[in-house]
Amino acid sequence: MADKHRIQFEPVGIEMEVGEEEKILDAAFRQGIHLMHGCREGQCSACKSYLLEGDIQMERYSTFACNDAEVAEGYVLLCKAHAYSDCTIELLNFDEDELLGGIPIRTVGTRVAAIEPVTRDIVSLRLEPAEQFDFKPGQYVDLTIPGTDEHRSFSMATTPSGEIEFLIKKYPGGRFSGLLDDGLAVGDELSMTGPYGSSTLKDGHVLPVVCVAGGAGMAPILSILRHLKETGSTRPVRFYYGARTAADLFYLEAIEELGAELAGFEFIACLSESAQDSDGSGGLQVEEGNVTEIVERREAELHRSEVYLCGPPPMVDAALTLLEANNVPKDQVFYDKFTSPATDGA
């Protein structure tokens, strides 16, 4: 049996036990400690922390998330770190409300309720959980690829009441997304583990909400909008969705219906290739250009908003650069990056 060690987290004073065979982040989840995290694949740096004392070794990770100089200085990615002694770790990012009060992570069985294409490369997958499955708007789960021990991560587009919807982008050769065309059918069973993710809507906050999404990043934003509607929120909301052409837009009626029940709601479709094919019917606002360019043009006071981002890594990176240039406090920015098929094999 592998040795076990004690981990002390500062400045929060939380202690836990970890086995040498498990990663520190996974050990924290197992013991109900919800550390900040994102991709859990060593690519996003959300769980980056500082080793004050002890012996830690990391599995393979992206140097974009933690470069060689940072590693030499003592920085570690908890999603890839194994402890080989008792350790003291300084958390660089943490949410005190989440640390010991997050929703427990668990595995539940589900049944496929529907598989429906919504664009040429995005599919709606609806699952019926075997039991109540709680999560916060903006979170995601791992879905196990049938017949394997592998999983893929997808954000929920709904709130935790009844069926759970995922919006999944199809990639050529994708291990999971390929099953949506041939391999999964209504009635099939899937295993779901979660919820994960720190990019969640914070209850009790009052700042206006600015949402920026692209592609299948529509999912967690829809979850946030549906939660705002269900809770009767009065926070102003503006939603910028980036797509290539009008053919890549979807769920416009659902967004319009949600917006009708939200305070000060605006939806702006941002088309990077051409806005000429959209007639703007039904009051749809369409602007031509990259989504971040349009946000910069329209949002003069981003620093007075909470900003939720989700989409392809280049879009998220461009948005983060824009937010930093506009002096938006980091504790008002929440985001997930969807990893590319080259690294994720969705």
Side-chain angles (χ1 to χ4, degrees):
M1 179 178 290
D3 289 341
K4 295 185 180 295
H5 306 289
R6 299 296 299 175
I7 304 293
Q8 171 83 22
F9 291 114
E10 298 296 348
V12 294
I14 293 174
E15 287 190 8
M16 72 173 197
E17 185 178 75
V18 60
E20 291 183 353
E21 79 285 355
E22 64 182 336
K23 289 168 278 195
I24 292 174
L25 185 65
D26 290 338
F29 288 148
R30 175 174 59 81
Q31 294 167 80
I33 302 168
H34 288 247
L35 304 177
M36 293 292 284
H37 61 282
C39 68
R40 297 164 31 248
E41 296 292 341
Q43 297 185 49
C44 76
S45 80
C47 66
K48 185 186 294 183
S49 301
Y50 187 75
L51 179 63
L52 295 171
E53 184 178 359
D55 180 14
I56 280 178
Q57 296 180 28
M58 287 194 287
E59 295 180 6
R60 186 177 178 180
Y61 59 91
S62 169
T63 53
F64 290 102
C66 194
N67 62 46
D68 293 342
E70 290 176 316
V71 172
E73 190 176 340
Y75 290 93
V76 294
L77 300 173
L78 299 183
C79 68
K80 290 293 183 178
H82 293 263
Y84 291 95
S85 72
D86 291 350
C87 298
T88 303
I89 296 173
E90 180 183 1
L91 299 177
L92 304 179
N93 300 294
F94 59 91
D95 185 324
E96 291 190 33
D97 293 333
E98 285 286 328
L99 268 173
L100 297 175
I103 296 172
I105 291 168
R106 58 197 182 100
T107 298
V108 301
T110 73
R111 185 187 68 84
V112 176
I115 303 173
E116 300 173 350
V118 293
T119 71
R120 57 194 170 192
D121 61 359
I122 296 179
V123 174
S124 166
L125 171 66
R126 288 185 172 271
L127 301 180
E128 182 181 335
E131 54 191 278
Q132 177 67 28
F133 186 81
D134 292 326
F135 58 89
K136 296 183 179 182
Q139 289 193 300
Y140 68 90
V141 297
D142 289 342
L143 298 182
T144 300
I145 299 174
T148 77
D149 292 329
E150 296 182 62
H151 67 265
R152 294 296 182 264
S153 302
F154 302 105
S155 299
M156 283 72 78
T158 46
T159 55
S161 54
E163 293 179 354
I164 300 174
E165 182 184 23
F166 303 89
L167 299 172
I168 300 174
K169 184 176 177 65
K170 296 192 296 181
Y171 292 105
R175 291 292 308 279
F176 190 97
S177 62
L179 298 174
L180 300 174
D181 285 328
D182 182 20
L184 273 183
V186 172
D188 287 352
E189 296 182 351
L190 285 175
S191 177
M192 178 172 70
T193 302
Y196 298 106
S198 306
S199 179
T200 59
L201 186 70
K202 310 304 176 186
D203 288 331
H205 290 201
V206 297
L207 287 174
V209 173
V210 174
C211 300
V212 184
M218 168 81 77
I221 304 304
L222 277 178
S223 180
I224 287 171
L225 296 180
R226 286 166 169 156
H227 177 81
L228 289 170
K229 171 198 165 185
E230 290 176 4
T231 57
S233 172
T234 57
R235 299 173 70 179
V237 182
R238 294 181 293 281
F239 179 15
Y240 296 85
Y241 182 74
R244 290 173 56 201
T245 69
D248 298 304
L249 299 175
F250 63 102
Y251 280 11
L252 298 181
E253 289 186 8
I255 293 170
E256 183 179 5
E257 290 175 2
L258 282 169
E261 299 190 50
L262 294 173
F265 180 79
E266 284 187 89
F267 174 70
I268 301 92
C270 309
L271 304 183
S272 60
E273 292 190 0
S274 176
Q276 302 302 315
D277 297 331
S278 177
D279 59 11
S281 60
L284 176 65
Q285 296 186 64
V286 180
E287 295 204 18
E288 188 167 335
N290 291 326
V291 62
T292 50
E293 296 171 349
I294 294 167
V295 171
E296 182 176 23
R297 190 163 65 233
R298 293 176 59 104
E299 295 289 339
E301 296 191 325
L302 275 171
H303 62 288
R304 296 182 179 176
S305 305
E306 277 188 357
V307 185
Y308 293 83
L309 313 170
C310 194
M315 185 216 82
V316 174
D317 288 338
L320 291 173
T321 299
L322 169 64
L323 298 177
E324 184 176 2
N326 281 268
N327 299 313
V328 180
K330 290 186 178 181
D331 62 0
Q332 292 172 206
V333 180
F334 308 92
Y335 65 94
D336 282 321
K337 291 183 185 180
F338 285 6
T339 53
S340 69
T343 57
D344 182 61

